[in-house]
Amino acid sequence: MESFFHGPAYLAPLSFLASSNNYVQIILPDLGRCNVKIGEDGKPRALSNACAHRGTEIITEVIGDRKLVCPYHGWRYNRSGNLLPNLSVGSNSPICLA
């Protein structure tokens, strides 16, 4: 499938995304629903909206300021999509797509 992104696309004001938990959801071809956040390195990231554990949808709102926490088992991800330390998780399962 050909991507519909052929250049920059306006999603939200950078000042909105610069806040640590703010995100905007988009739907990408072949990837589905993603959360766009500014990562720990200051670069925008498209993060899968599915938990790496069981694929549960992490966030249902299209725009907001929630932390990335799976509602099923409570797996938590940082702004760059990396799994945060959790006693029940043995390995790091990132959700970062780009």
Side-chain angles (χ1 to χ4, degrees):
M1 175 181 275
E2 184 179 337
S3 173
F4 61 89
F5 286 115
H6 297 288
Y10 178 80
L11 298 175
L14 185 58
S15 60
F16 173 78
L17 289 176
S19 183
S20 65
N21 293 323
N22 290 8
Y23 67 88
V24 175
Q25 274 193 1
I26 60 172
I27 297 176
L28 296 175
D30 299 328
L31 297 175
R33 192 174 306 273
C34 299
N35 301 309
V36 176
K37 293 179 87 83
I38 300 298
E40 309 269 331
D41 60 359
K43 296 180 181 177
R45 298 279 185 239
L47 308 173
S48 171
N49 195 39
C51 180
H53 181 221
R54 300 241 178 182
T56 301
E57 185 177 47
I58 296 174
I59 295 175
T60 56
E61 299 85 14
V62 175
I63 189 168
D65 63 353
R66 293 184 46 207
K67 292 184 177 184
L68 297 173
V69 178
C70 176
Y72 192 59
H73 283 119
W75 283 30
R76 299 173 300 126
Y77 299 89
N78 69 13
R79 294 186 318 182
S80 294
N82 294 314
L83 187 62
L84 294 171
N86 185 326
L87 294 176
S88 66
V89 179
S91 63
N92 189 346
S93 303
I95 58 170
C96 187
L97 302 172

